[in-house]
């Protein structure tokens, strides 16, 4: 695979934030420790670049292979054939889209996201979808009917339509048109008429618009190898490897829905041992069970339970073997904590208030305290979030090291992200042990993600792997051992 010189392009506006939220994040990314190293101008530039990156999808789709049932090489061959079929259906480039094995994460495959395609024709029939639906389209999904907010009066099945995302949530469901703030995300073919979508008393489901020309092309995984692959952002797949689960151990996933990391842990254990997964919301618990069953994993036990209350005052624990548990019950604990989610991409608008954004730190500390007490001596605790704030990441590490002298930070393997961010008073040695994925560190300068240009250029596969490691969602991982 070769690459060519290619100018970075922002086709979407920067993420829209409330004024006080933008100010709060600006203070985070222009804190005194960072300014002392970067200077005001560079810090300002990086922050504005971050706001732009957040509204665009990562450069690669990351697929975790369920190694319990299939090998990465088998899945890679099957996916190559599937992508060729999708390219033919969509009249997309005949050049093969490469699939890379990640050199440091052996059960992860990387597929370049092709785009942006800025010269797509826009059609007279326009469909408006909700922001979440629009974000999914930019990661390879078709438009499912519940996500459609507005459609032309006489739209019928088979019509070619242009699809727009209502990024600020202002479009009324059932509208015939919408002229508010919206972003073009591609073209597709209507699989349903307007009346099919809006004139029914029954819950609507199924594909409403089949995307044929998305602004960013990423393969659809709808009904593709459902028991062999799991769509998972690269940092999320790295978390379970950092935990280093071993066969025969008892491991707790405290906030487990939808079960991606739970099932990954079980697969890395060879389905031998016990993985306890908890979530306090019943329908999310069912999702974990469904994913475990789909992936053929039997060592997972799932409980609908508030993880804050998972510690029992009775040394014997509960009579049924489930939560609450006695102290020091687990060899390893994963706390993928509820968070503000500001690292998710693409995200063109966040409507949350500053109060909501800053509300997670106390909850995370309660969960962390329970996790430490449930962990055996010499056990491993991994803490992760999909957000970019200091308060939920490095500040939590500083707090944990101060309040729990029994904990020490550990080196992470694999470590393909950057170190921790300055601003929480942590030492340089501590920051090196943390793993922060910051999309600002990515650059596509010198690279092409257009397959017809691969063969004419001068980059290498290693350049693309480097880009895949950097151009991810915003994410944070810390690994502790209890001594």
């Amino acid at each position: 695979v070769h690459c060519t010189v290619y100018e970075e392009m922002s086709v979407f506006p920067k993420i829209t934030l409330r004024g006080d939220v933008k100010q709060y994040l600006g203070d985070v990314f222009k804190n005194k420790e960072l300014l002392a190293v970067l200077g005001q101008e560079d810090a300002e530039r990086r922050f504005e670049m971050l706001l732009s990156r957040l509204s665009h999808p990562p450069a690669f789709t990351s697929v975790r292979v369920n190694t319990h049932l299939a090998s990465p090489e088998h899945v890679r061959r099957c996916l190559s054939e599937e992508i060729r079929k999708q390219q033919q259906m969509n009249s997309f480039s005949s050049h093969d889209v490469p699939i890379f094995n990640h050199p440091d994460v052996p059960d992860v495959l990387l597929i370049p996201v092709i785009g942006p395609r800025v010269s797509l024709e826009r059609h007279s029939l326009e469909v408006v979808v909700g922001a979440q639906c629009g974000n999914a389209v930019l990661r390879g999904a078709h438009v499912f009917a519940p996500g459609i907010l507005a459609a032309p009066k006489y739209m019928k099945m088979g019509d070619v339509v242009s699809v727009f995302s209502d990024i600020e949530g202002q479009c009324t469901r059932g509208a015939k048109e919408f002229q508010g703030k919206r972003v073009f995300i591609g073209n597709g073919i209507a699989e349903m008429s307007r009346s099919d979508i809006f004139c029914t008393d029954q819950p609507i489901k199924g594909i409403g618009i089949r995307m044929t020309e998305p602004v960013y092309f990423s393969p659809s995984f709808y009904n593709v190898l459902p028991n062999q692959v799991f769509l998972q952002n690269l940092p999320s797949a790295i978390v379970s490897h950092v935990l280093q689960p071993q066969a025969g151990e008892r491991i707790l996933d405290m906030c487990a829905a939808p079960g991606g990391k739970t099932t990954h842990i079980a697969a890395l254990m060879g389905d031998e041992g016990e993985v306890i997964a908890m979530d306090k919301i019943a329908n999310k618990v069912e999702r974990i069970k469904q994913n475990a069953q789909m992936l053929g994993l039997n060592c997972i036990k799932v409980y609908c339970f508030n993880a804050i209350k998972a510690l029992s005052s009775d040394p014997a624990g509960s009579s049924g073997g489930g939560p609450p548990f006695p102290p020091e019950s687990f060899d390893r604990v994963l706390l993928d904590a509820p968070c503000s989610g500001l690292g998710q991409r693409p995200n063109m608008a966040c409507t949350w208030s500053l109060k909501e954004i800053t509300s997670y730190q106390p909850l995370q500390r309660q969960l962390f305290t329970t996790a430490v007490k449930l962990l055996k001596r010499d056990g491993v605790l991994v803490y992760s979030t999909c957000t970019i704030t200091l308060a939920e990441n490095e500040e939590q590490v500083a707090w944990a090291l101060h309040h729990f002298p029994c904990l020490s930070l550990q080196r992470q393997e694999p470590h393909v992200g950057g170190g921790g961010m300055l601003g929480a008073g942590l030492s340089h040695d501590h920051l090196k042990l943390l793993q922060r994925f910051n999309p600002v560190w990515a650059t596509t300068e010198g690279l092409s993600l257009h397959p017809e240009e691969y063969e004419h250029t001068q980059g290498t596969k290693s350049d693309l792997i480097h880009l895949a490691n950097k151009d991810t969602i915003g994410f944070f991982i810390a690994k502790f051992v209890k001594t």
Side-chain angles (χ1 to χ4, degrees):
V1 176
H2 299 288
C3 311
T4 189
V5 174
Y6 159 68
E7 184 179 348
E8 287 192 70
M9 192 179 304
S10 295
V11 293
F12 305 133
K14 295 172 184 175
I15 183 173
T16 301
L17 303 165
R18 293 190 179 189
D20 54 353
V21 172
K22 184 175 180 180
Q23 180 64 50
Y24 168 74
L25 287 179
D27 291 343
V28 168
F29 285 89
K30 291 174 279 185
N31 67 70
K32 289 182 180 179
E33 287 186 59
L34 269 179
L35 289 177
V37 174
L38 298 176
Q40 184 74 34
E41 185 177 341
D42 197 18
E44 289 273 6
R45 181 183 63 82
R46 291 181 182 219
F47 178 58
E48 293 302 319
M49 189 185 301
L50 174 66
L51 298 181
S52 179
R53 286 279 165 79
L54 289 175
S55 66
H56 292 71
F60 286 78
T61 296
S62 173
V63 181
R64 176 172 63 81
V65 177
N66 177 23
T67 51
H68 181 58
L69 296 181
S71 71
E73 189 54 37
H74 166 76
V75 170
R76 192 177 69 82
R77 289 195 300 269
C78 293
L79 287 181
S80 292
E81 183 60 33
E82 174 62 30
I83 291 172
R84 277 194 289 271
K85 290 178 184 175
Q86 292 188 24
Q87 285 178 292
Q88 291 166 3
M89 286 178 61
N90 295 346
S91 301
F92 189 64
S93 167
S94 59
H95 294 261
D96 285 345
V97 175
I99 301 177
F100 303 112
N101 295 84
H102 196 292
D104 300 306
V105 194
D107 52 1
V108 165
L109 301 175
L110 299 168
I111 306 169
V113 174
I114 309 302
R117 297 191 284 170
V118 295
S119 58
L120 292 176
E121 179 186 358
R122 302 192 186 189
H123 301 283
S124 57
L125 296 179
E126 299 179 351
V127 170
V128 179
V129 302
Q132 267 194 313
C133 179
N135 293 342
V137 167
L138 294 174
R139 297 299 300 267
H142 296 296
V143 175
F144 285 79
I148 298 175
L149 299 178
K153 184 175 182 179
Y154 298 111
M155 186 182 80
K156 60 186 183 300
M157 188 162 63
D159 282 345
V160 177
V161 300
S162 288
V163 181
F164 294 80
S165 178
D166 168 27
I167 61 176
E168 293 186 343
Q170 299 299 310
C171 182
T172 303
R173 180 170 172 78
K176 297 180 179 67
E177 59 180 27
F178 175 67
Q179 298 303 323
K181 191 169 182 180
R182 59 189 195 156
V183 169
F184 174 64
I185 56 175
N187 299 318
I189 297 173
E191 296 283 308
M192 300 179 180
S193 68
R194 175 185 166 85
S195 59
D196 291 335
I197 297 166
F198 297 122
C199 302
T200 176
D201 296 329
Q202 301 300 316
I204 188 73
K205 59 183 180 180
I207 294 175
I209 308 293
R210 186 172 298 278
M211 296 301 297
T212 56
E213 294 180 321
V215 170
Y216 284 90
F217 174 77
S218 185
S220 168
F221 281 84
Y222 182 59
N223 286 337
V224 174
L225 304 177
N227 65 342
Q228 296 181 32
V229 300
F230 197 96
L231 271 180
Q232 199 166 26
N233 288 299
L234 177 60
S236 298
I238 286 172
V239 166
S240 300
H241 285 282
V242 169
L243 187 66
Q244 293 183 311
Q246 305 297 312
E249 290 183 331
R250 193 178 194 215
I251 297 177
L252 174 63
D253 187 353
M254 292 185 73
C255 305
K261 298 178 186 69
T262 304
T263 54
H264 195 187
I265 291 166
L268 291 173
M269 296 167 68
D271 205 27
E272 295 180 13
E274 185 178 47
V275 181
I276 302 293
M278 292 191 295
D279 203 278
K280 65 179 183 180
I281 300 174
N283 63 346
K284 291 187 176 182
V285 167
E286 287 307 308
R287 180 84 181 277
I288 301 170
K289 291 178 179 177
Q290 289 166 8
N291 281 327
Q293 184 176 15
M294 174 83 72
L295 299 173
L297 296 161
N298 300 309
C299 72
I300 298 169
K301 295 181 179 177
V302 188
Y303 298 95
C304 187
F305 200 84
N306 184 347
I308 291 174
K309 301 176 181 178
L311 180 70
S312 173
S313 56
D314 183 353
S318 67
S319 57
F325 302 102
E328 301 190 350
S329 288
F330 295 95
D331 299 291
R332 299 173 198 265
V333 175
L334 171 61
L335 174 53
D336 186 46
C339 69
S340 57
L342 289 171
Q344 293 290 2
R345 297 173 63 197
N347 184 8
M348 296 186 203
C350 176
T351 59
W352 283 15
S353 68
L354 182 59
K355 183 178 180 180
E356 290 172 306
I357 294 290
T358 57
S359 67
Y360 285 91
Q361 192 184 71
L363 170 62
Q364 292 161 351
R365 292 184 177 183
Q366 287 180 286
L367 289 164
F368 195 96
T369 300
T370 300
V372 173
K373 293 177 180 178
L374 288 172
L375 186 64
K376 294 178 181 178
R377 277 173 280 184
D378 299 319
V380 171
L381 166 59
V382 170
Y383 172 84
S384 62
T385 75
C386 59
T387 196
I388 56 177
T389 68
L390 277 171
E392 298 172 78
N393 295 325
E394 287 85 357
E395 285 184 17
Q396 297 294 52
V397 171
W399 167 84
L401 293 174
H402 177 74
H403 281 80
F404 301 100
C406 61
L407 294 182
S408 60
L409 278 175
Q410 296 293 297
R411 186 169 178 269
Q412 300 181 33
E413 283 291 342
H415 196 297
V416 302
M421 190 167 80
L422 291 166
L426 291 169
S427 71
H428 180 66
D429 287 341
H430 281 155
L431 291 176
K432 287 195 299 184
L433 294 172
L434 304 175
Q435 193 160 193
R436 177 184 270 260
F437 292 84
N438 183 347
V440 168
W441 295 329
T443 175
T444 52
E445 185 177 351
L447 296 176
S448 173
L449 298 183
H450 295 275
E452 61 271 19
E453 297 175 355
Y454 287 153
E455 57 197 88
H456 303 299
T457 57
Q458 295 155 15
T460 64
K461 175 181 173 181
S462 63
D463 294 326
L464 292 171
I465 297 296
H466 178 77
L467 176 60
N469 289 340
K470 302 304 179 187
D471 195 355
T472 68
I473 64 169
F475 205 86
F476 179 84
I477 310 172
K479 180 179 182 179
F480 303 87
V481 69
K482 181 179 179 180
T483 57

